[in-house]
Amino acid sequence: MSSHSPAKFTPVAIGLHWIMAAGLALAFGVGQYMSGLELSPWKLKIYTWHKWLGVTLFLLVWMRMAWRSTHRPPALPATMNRRLQKLTEIAHRALYVLMVLIPLTGWLHSSAAGVSVVYFNLLPLPNLVPKDKALSHLFETLHQALNWTLLVLVLGHVAAAFKHQFVDRDQLMARMRP
Ligand code: HEM
Ligand code: HEM
């Protein structure tokens, strides 16, 4: 995998990485903020925007995975031992899985709560499951738990990136720089 490996991620992969990082941070912050609000028109509005943003990220992650499966990423630095390379691969895979499951459980939660999503007031999305209180509660809990898992993983991911930058000084960050 070394000799044919590109030096950088493609501009599309880099663009999607940073757009999604910003979008996920925003969806996370809005999600935290909105669930503590008293019922009001503002709360309903912000819930709707949270869902539209989340569905957009759901679309983007599928495009990103399609791009990823057809465009080889640069090989990890040879200074990383095999175990660390394997661990990195698993962590990146887990990030992709979470980027799929989080919006999916949000959508399932809304469906089970009996609230259909109309994407940007234009495209009605199907309800994935029938209205069911227990199911709605289950998906809400899952949505929350997966979000906290994402937060922990992303903190580790950012810490790893900073270690590469300031301790290893191996130019890894440059591969993902726009
Ligand atoms: C300040 C925040 C972030 C920094 C500094 C950062 C940095 C990086 C860097 C340098 C890489 C390239 C690793 C390599 O060369 O192999 C990378 C890859 C990746 N990042 Fe981030 N990242 C950040 C936020 C995020 C967030 C919020 C997510 C969302 C879950 C994310 C998901 C990923 C994934 C999935 C990869 C693997 C790309 C692939 O191989 O397909 N990153 N990140
Ligand atoms: C990647 C995208 C998404 C992220 C990062 C995200 C994040 C969050 C977070 C952090 C919360 C607060 C959880 C808590 O109370 O601790 C939340 C709540 C919620 N999310 Fe999402 N979400 C995403 C996508 C979606 C989607 C696509 C939908 C629906 C179509 C959705 C529906 C909801 C609902 C209804 C709540 C409120 C739960 C409650 O009643 O407290 N989310 N989300």
Side-chain angles (χ1 to χ4, degrees):
M1 170 124 178
S2 51
S3 54
H4 304 292
S5 171
K8 245 182 126 154
F9 282 90
T10 59
V12 172
I14 295 171
L16 284 169
H17 175 272
W18 291 111
I19 287 169
M20 289 198 69
L24 289 163
L26 186 63
F28 189 96
V30 169
Q32 269 314 110
Y33 161 74
M34 70 185 196
S35 47
L37 293 174
E38 299 277 347
L39 188 61
S40 67
W42 169 246
K43 176 166 179 158
L44 297 181
K45 189 176 230 170
I46 217 86
Y47 264 62
T48 303
W49 277 99
H50 176 81
K51 294 174 188 183
W52 291 346
L53 174 58
V55 172
T56 305
L57 290 164
F58 190 53
L59 294 173
L60 286 176
V61 76
W62 288 107
M63 285 158 58
R64 184 169 172 189
M65 291 190 299
W67 186 267
R68 172 65 155 86
S69 65
T70 50
H71 297 78
R72 182 207 281 264
L76 288 168
T79 45
M80 289 170 72
N81 64 42
R82 288 297 296 152
R83 264 184 66 207
L84 196 54
Q85 294 197 0
K86 196 77 207 157
L87 188 73
T88 303
E89 218 179 281
I90 292 169
H92 287 170
R93 246 169 228 275
L95 286 169
Y96 282 115
V97 170
L98 287 169
M99 286 188 281
V100 170
L101 290 185
I102 289 173
L104 187 62
T105 50
W107 186 358
L108 283 161
H109 167 46
S110 281
S111 300
V115 186
S116 312
V117 182
V118 185
Y119 191 48
F120 288 107
N121 281 341
L122 292 171
L123 181 69
L125 303 185
N127 285 332
L128 300 175
V129 288
K131 188 169 173 178
D132 179 322
K133 205 163 182 172
L135 212 52
S136 164
H137 187 69
L138 171 70
F139 288 126
E140 181 184 349
T141 307
L142 274 175
H143 191 61
Q144 287 173 0
L146 291 169
N147 265 298
W148 290 109
T149 310
L150 177 70
L151 182 67
V152 170
L153 255 183
V154 166
L155 289 178
H157 178 69
V158 175
F162 276 71
K163 177 180 181 282
H164 280 283
Q165 182 73 3
F166 298 111
V167 180
D168 305 333
R169 298 168 190 270
D170 57 9
Q171 293 299 307
L172 182 105
M173 282 274 232
R175 298 140 48 112
M176 198 45 110
R177 199 170 289 142

